[in-house]
């Protein structure tokens, strides 16, 4: 069956518009409950969410779906995505759900599913759930006496905070470090400042007043301007920018310059190699990661293994080939020794620990390599498949590859979460890269926009 419901990170769309309606959420809850019905015990699901207004609606609809097929539900409230993966496994739940559209604006929302091992679902399991969603007559409702029960848990933030702190090297003390943390008015608005404060840092808080509408609104990892300003204004040593569900992170050095996921992976990989903690002989990243990262690792005898875009594909490759570090340029940093998915807070702690040890400014320490000039532009379209199938696009890509030569790369793809075509090129000549990207964008048929 074609994956028309699930994208690269669960189900996502504009709230109260298909597929992100209450009816669809209820059916997803019913289908997931049936797929993960295991044995004669009372099956249980955990449901977390970020701070979007529509989260209330989807939370209740998912709950109704699970209860109707005999699955008990534990409601976690606003909590980061990685906390849901952790708690699914820790509480021996059969399935976990995170209601979030990650870095998207508040108008959007999404549903991410986790298996009992705390990991995101495979394509095959998502397809099984989708088949049931599309054929509701195959869903088996529970008898009246077997309908599930719902309960809201009050201690989940404390559990997650302790797990994040436990991921850091023993004895980590951030005393003397001034940190600005931007929580994007999202799921980590309470837990992130608490973790940093309890480890001794002086914390300046940004993006910690969610109102249902301001998640990712000119704040967080995708809009770092305010964080950059606050780091400089407060003379902080470093800034931490999370996205709406806190599964990704970017850093800002003391001069206000952004440190992206590629630089973070390079730094952590180098530190872990020196401490004999790095498994797999390298790092897993996506095709979007900068060529400079690949060259940096190669000089150090490490390899960069690339996957298609999406942290779930990075994780699948890590698990298959024994890597314990991977991620995306956007700031999804996956450390399987500590978490089952990208965790912005845990990655930030690894970075802060390394910064303290090196006793150098962040602007020096986190500039692990000089990025190869890379340019990414997005174009909004109605039918991305039709646009990419155009002969003019194929011709422009071929021409661009010839112009860049062996020292450059081109990537043209559909977004897995938004109605966009993403055009990326990189090479040692920045003007040539810009010209190639513009040439490809001009070749995308206007009638597809």
């Amino acid at each position: 069956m074609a994956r028309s419901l699930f994208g690269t990170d669960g189900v996502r769309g504009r709230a109260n518009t298909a597929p992100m309606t209450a009816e669809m959420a209820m059916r997803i809850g019913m289908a997931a409950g049936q797929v993960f019905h295991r044995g004669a015990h009372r099956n249980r699901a955990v449901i977390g969410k970020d701070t979007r207004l529509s989260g209330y609606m989807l939370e209740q609809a998912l709950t109704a779906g699970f209860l109707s097929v005999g699955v008990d539900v534990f409601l976690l409230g606003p909590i980061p995505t990685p906390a849901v993966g952790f708690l699914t496994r820790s509480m021996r739940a059969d399935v976990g759900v995170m209601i979030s559209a990650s870095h998207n604006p508040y108008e959007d929302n999404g549903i991410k599913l986790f298996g009992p091992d705390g990991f995101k679902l495979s394509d095959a399991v998502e397809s099984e759930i989708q088949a049931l969603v599309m054929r509701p007559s195959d869903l088996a409702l529970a008898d009246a006496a077997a309908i599930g029960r719902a309960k809201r848990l009050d201690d989940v933030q404390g559990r997650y905070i302790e797990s994040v702190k436990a991921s850091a090297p023993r004895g980590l003390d951030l005393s003397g470090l001034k940190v600005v943390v931007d929580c994007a008015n999202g799921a980590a608005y309470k837990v992130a400042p608490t973790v940093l404060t309890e480890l001794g840092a002086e914390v300046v808080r940004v993006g910690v007043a969610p109102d249902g509408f301001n998640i990712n609104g000119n704040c967080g990892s995708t809009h770092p301007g305010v964080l950059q300003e606050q780091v400089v204004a407060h003379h902080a040593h470093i800034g931490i920018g999370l996205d709406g569900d806190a599964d990704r992170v970017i850093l800002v050095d003391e001069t206000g310059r952004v440190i992206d996921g590629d630089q973070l992976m390079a730094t952590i990989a180098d530190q872990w190699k020196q401490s004999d903690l790095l498994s797999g002989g390298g790092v897993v990243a996506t095709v979007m990661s900068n060529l400079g990262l690949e060259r940096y690792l190669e000089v150090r005898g490490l390899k960069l293994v690339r996957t298609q875009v999406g942290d779930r594909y990075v994780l699948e490759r890590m698990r298959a080939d024994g890597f314990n570090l991977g991620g995306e340029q956007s700031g999804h940093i996956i450390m399987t020794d500590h978490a089952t998915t990208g965790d912005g807070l845990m990655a930030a702690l690894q970075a802060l620990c390394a910064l303290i040890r090196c006793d150098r400014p962040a602007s020096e320490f986190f500039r692990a390599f000089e990025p190869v000039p890379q340019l990414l532009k997005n174009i909004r379209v109605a039918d991305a498949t039709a646009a990419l199938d155009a002969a003019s696009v194929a011709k422009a890509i071929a021409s661009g590859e010839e112009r860049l030569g062996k020292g450059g790369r081109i990537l043209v793809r559909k977004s897995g979460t938004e109605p966009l075509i993403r055009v990326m090129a990189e090479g040692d000549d920045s003007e040539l890269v810009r010209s190639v990207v513009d040439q490809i964008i001009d070749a995308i048929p206007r009638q597809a926009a």
Side-chain angles (χ1 to χ4, degrees):
M1 172 179 287
R3 285 168 49 81
S4 58
L5 182 61
F6 287 90
T8 55
D9 198 14
V11 183
R12 190 174 298 186
R14 190 175 181 87
N16 229 19
T17 301
M20 293 313 304
T21 62
E23 177 187 6
M24 183 62 76
M26 183 176 69
R27 286 163 63 179
I28 290 172
M30 296 171 71
Q34 185 163 316
V35 167
F36 284 100
H37 184 82
R38 305 182 305 158
H41 67 280
R42 290 195 66 89
N43 297 119
R44 54 170 62 179
V46 296
I47 301 178
K49 62 180 180 178
D50 63 24
T51 57
R52 296 164 209 270
L53 176 65
S54 56
Y56 291 100
M57 173 186 73
L58 297 173
E59 179 186 54
Q60 296 301 315
L62 281 159
T63 299
F66 280 116
L67 300 183
S68 72
V69 295
V71 176
D72 291 340
V73 173
F74 293 89
L75 299 170
L76 309 179
I79 198 86
T81 287
V84 174
F86 161 69
L87 290 164
T88 301
R89 184 165 62 178
S90 172
M91 294 176 61
R92 294 185 179 274
D94 300 282
V95 61
V97 185
M98 179 63 181
I99 303 168
S100 176
S102 193
H103 59 280
N104 287 27
Y106 88 90
E107 295 93 341
D108 295 339
N109 217 325
I111 296 172
K112 307 180 185 185
L113 297 172
F114 295 83
D117 57 1
F119 289 95
K120 291 180 181 178
L121 307 185
S122 66
D123 288 353
V125 176
E126 285 185 344
S127 294
E128 188 178 354
I129 291 171
Q130 176 176 307
L132 285 171
V133 169
M134 300 307 178
R135 294 197 309 269
S137 60
D138 291 345
L139 292 168
L141 296 178
D143 292 335
I147 292 173
R149 298 174 174 84
K151 178 181 180 181
R152 189 168 295 277
L153 299 183
D154 297 324
D155 62 340
V156 293
Q157 291 189 357
R159 295 192 197 189
Y160 175 64
I161 286 169
E162 290 305 314
S163 75
V164 172
K165 289 161 60 178
S167 73
R170 185 180 296 275
L172 175 62
D173 186 352
L174 302 182
S175 299
L177 202 66
K178 180 182 280 191
V179 181
V180 179
V181 59
D182 183 348
C183 301
N185 292 312
Y189 77 101
K190 288 184 179 179
V191 297
T194 300
V195 166
L196 295 168
T197 299
E198 290 185 358
L199 289 173
E202 179 182 350
V203 181
V204 178
R205 306 177 184 210
V206 177
V208 292
D211 61 9
F213 303 96
N214 59 2
I215 186 171
N216 299 314
N218 194 34
C219 58
S221 63
T222 50
H223 303 282
V226 173
L227 176 60
Q228 292 171 288
E229 293 173 1
Q230 291 297 307
V231 168
V232 174
H234 287 276
H235 304 288
H237 297 95
I238 198 164
I240 299 170
L242 303 168
D243 69 337
D245 67 337
D247 65 352
R248 68 167 69 178
V249 63
I250 57 100
L251 301 182
V252 170
D253 69 27
E254 80 283 0
T255 71
R257 187 169 59 177
V258 170
I259 302 161
D260 68 12
D262 284 346
Q263 297 285 357
L264 274 176
M265 285 187 284
T267 301
I268 295 172
D270 199 29
Q271 293 290 309
W272 284 10
K273 183 188 178 186
Q274 294 179 36
S275 303
D276 199 27
L277 296 174
L278 188 67
S279 300
V283 176
V284 179
T286 76
V287 290
M288 295 298 294
S289 277
N290 194 275
L291 189 59
L293 173 61
E294 189 171 341
R295 294 173 178 174
Y296 175 86
L297 294 174
E298 185 178 1
V299 168
R300 284 154 182 76
L302 301 173
K303 55 189 174 184
L304 179 68
V305 178
R306 295 184 185 268
T307 72
Q308 67 188 92
V309 174
D311 63 306
R312 62 200 298 266
Y313 301 113
V314 172
L315 183 56
E316 286 175 3
R317 187 63 181 271
M318 290 173 65
R319 297 180 71 189
D321 294 347
F323 291 85
N324 64 346
L325 177 62
E328 296 186 282
Q329 186 185 65
S330 60
H332 281 116
I333 308 299
I334 305 173
M335 303 175 295
T336 51
D337 290 347
H338 306 297
T340 59
T341 187
D343 192 311
L345 263 176
M346 287 187 180
L349 289 190
Q350 292 292 327
L352 294 183
C353 178
L355 180 63
I356 290 172
R357 287 174 175 172
C358 79
D359 196 29
R360 289 158 53 198
S363 56
E364 296 179 11
F365 181 66
F366 288 108
R367 197 69 174 179
F369 62 88
E370 193 63 35
V372 171
Q374 184 184 82
L375 180 63
L376 171 66
K377 289 188 176 182
N378 300 319
I379 179 168
R380 189 168 294 271
V381 296
D383 188 339
T385 300
L388 291 180
D389 285 344
S392 59
V393 176
K395 183 177 179 180
I397 293 173
S399 172
E401 289 174 340
E402 183 176 352
R403 293 173 66 193
L404 287 173
K406 294 182 179 179
R409 292 194 306 131
I410 294 174
L411 178 66
V412 181
R413 67 178 185 89
K414 297 183 293 184
S415 168
T417 58
E418 299 175 85
L420 302 172
I421 291 177
R422 305 192 191 278
V423 181
M424 186 276 285
E426 64 180 348
D428 293 313
D429 185 334
S430 59
E431 287 304 315
L432 177 58
V433 167
R434 182 177 301 277
S435 174
V436 166
V437 169
D438 289 342
Q439 176 185 345
I440 295 171
I441 286 179
D442 289 342
I444 295 175
R446 296 300 95 187
Q447 64 267 24

